[in-house]
Structures are given as C-alpha cells and as structure tokens.
Amino acid sequence: METIETQRLVLRPVEYTDLEDIYEYSKHPEVGSNAGWKPHESLEETRQIMQEVFVGKEDVWGIVWKENEKLIGTIGLIQDDKRSHEAVRMIGYAIGKHYWGKGIMTEAAKAVVAYGFETLGLQLITANCYPSNLRSRKVLEKCGMTYEGYLRMVETLYDGGTVDHLCFSVSKEEYRQYMKKF
C-alpha cells in the first residue's frame, strides 16, 4: 500500500507499534462518540481493534503529524455497506481531540479522496456522519462532497442508542470540477 504525503502529514499503513498512540486518542470520550464507537478502556482492547480494523488492511492509513512524528488518527477507504458497486468506497476517519480544528482531517481526507479517484480508479466516494458532528460535515464539504440526504435510525451504538446519518458523496467528475476552483 502506498504512503501518501501532504504538507503536514504522512499517511502510512498502521502498525502494531502504533498501539499507544491509537489508544491515547481512542480513549477520549468525544473521539469515539463522534465516530460511533465506545472509548477504548485498555491497551488490549485497542490492540484487538487494530487487528480487526487497521493493521494489514488495504487502503487504511495512520495519520502521522510530521511536526512530532506521532500517529494522531486514522483514515481509510472502505466498502460502503449501502452500495454494492465495485467502483464505490466510503471514507471514514478519526483523529485525536487535541488535533481538532487545525484543518488536519481536511488535509488528510482531500489526499485520500484524490488517491481514491486517481490511483484506485473509483467513480464515487461516499461518507456518513452523525447530524451532531458538524466538524465532520465541514470536512466532507471541503472535499467537494454533496449532501445526499438524511437516513433515519440507521445505526445502533454500543450503548444501545440509535443514531441517524447524514449521507454525502462525490463523483470523480464532481471532484475534478471542485478542485479546479482552488
């Protein structure tokens, strides 16, 4: 899998040596709740989730902040369970709270969307976020994504609560037109 480099970031495969960095941001109550998972309670829980979701997975990267060479989040292009087309993937991400509001996730997401279209040959990239997650919505809009609609009662959370999704997407052509503006 390719490493992707941006001005401030290196996106690279997640490794087991990232355990402590991932645990550090994953235990924060606001990080998981914005992504639909409970805060991690132990290093062992993080290790298990890393094995299931991150390590060795195609098109899933750790986000490394060049300034301190620390892994501060994850991002990936995964199968969208709402769509079966092979040229469609969904972007998903999480980042440590300390790094919110600095444009880091937008920078990472733009690089991954470009990789999806230019390297993987995708035709559509989708995303979902919770209605309360305005930061994520802004990231998606800054990647040229269009709001598709509101999907009600789509997910049952770890605590038994039910949440809705805001659905977004961008086609390859829409992305190219959007990027011409900058």
Side-chain angles (χ1 to χ4, degrees), residues 160-180:
T162 303
V163 291
D164 304 332
H165 280 182
L166 301 181
C167 303
F168 293 83
S169 70
V170 61
S171 70
K172 188 177 208 172
E173 185 57 35
E174 290 166 340
Y175 176 74
R176 287 182 174 159
Q177 291 301 318
Y178 179 78
M179 293 312 293
K180 284 181 182 178

Side-chain angles (χ1 to χ4, degrees), residues 53-90:
V53 180
F54 301 125
V55 176
K57 304 302 182 197
E58 186 177 313
D59 304 320
V60 175
W61 297 269
I63 302 169
V64 177
W65 182 238
K66 285 182 183 178
E67 189 174 295
N68 60 10
E69 297 184 8
K70 183 178 186 69
L71 189 138
I72 60 170
T74 52
I75 190 166
L77 289 169
I78 60 173
Q79 185 63 43
D80 182 342
D81 61 7
K82 295 174 189 69
R83 302 173 200 244
S84 61
H85 196 284
E86 64 185 34
V88 176
R89 294 268 186 90
M90 179 173 66

Side-chain angles (χ1 to χ4, degrees), residues 2 5 12 14 36 41 47 53-54 75 89 93 105 118 126 138 154 156 168 175:
E2 262 186 61
E5 192 164 338
R12 60 150 175 83
V14 176
E41 296 175 10
R47 183 185 330 277
V53 180
F54 301 125
I75 190 166
R89 294 268 186 90
Y93 46 76
M105 190 52 73
E118 304 306 328
T126 65
K138 286 180 183 178
V154 71
T156 301
F168 293 83
Y175 176 74

Side-chain angles (χ1 to χ4, degrees), residues 67 121 129 146 152:
E67 189 174 295
C129 69
T146 300
R152 296 183 288 182

Side-chain angles (χ1 to χ4, degrees), residues 8-72:
R8 301 180 294 167
L9 309 171
V10 174
L11 309 181
R12 60 150 175 83
V14 176
E15 303 164 356
Y16 285 112
T17 55
D18 298 318
L19 175 66
E20 290 185 15
D21 287 345
I22 292 177
Y23 175 65
E24 183 180 320
Y25 74 78
S26 296
K27 68 183 180 181
H28 192 284
E30 290 180 74
V31 173
S33 65
N34 278 315
W37 35 269
K38 73 177 184 66
H40 294 192
E41 296 175 10
S42 69
L43 283 168
E44 187 51 43
E45 180 180 11
T46 300
R47 183 185 330 277
Q48 182 178 355
I49 290 168
M50 286 175 66
Q51 182 176 345
E52 294 170 9
V53 180
F54 301 125
V55 176
K57 304 302 182 197
E58 186 177 313
D59 304 320
V60 175
W61 297 269
I63 302 169
V64 177
W65 182 238
K66 285 182 183 178
E67 189 174 295
N68 60 10
E69 297 184 8
K70 183 178 186 69
L71 189 138
I72 60 170

Side-chain angles (χ1 to χ4, degrees), residues 4 6 11 59-61 63 74-78 90-93 105-120 122 125 143 175:
I4 301 170
T6 69
L11 309 181
D59 304 320
V60 175
W61 297 269
I63 302 169
T74 52
I75 190 166
L77 289 169
I78 60 173
M90 179 173 66
I91 192 168
Y93 46 76
M105 190 52 73
T106 299
E107 185 175 327
K110 283 182 175 181
V112 167
V113 168
Y115 176 86
F117 290 134
E118 304 306 328
T119 302
L120 298 179
L122 298 178
I125 296 176
C143 288
Y175 176 74

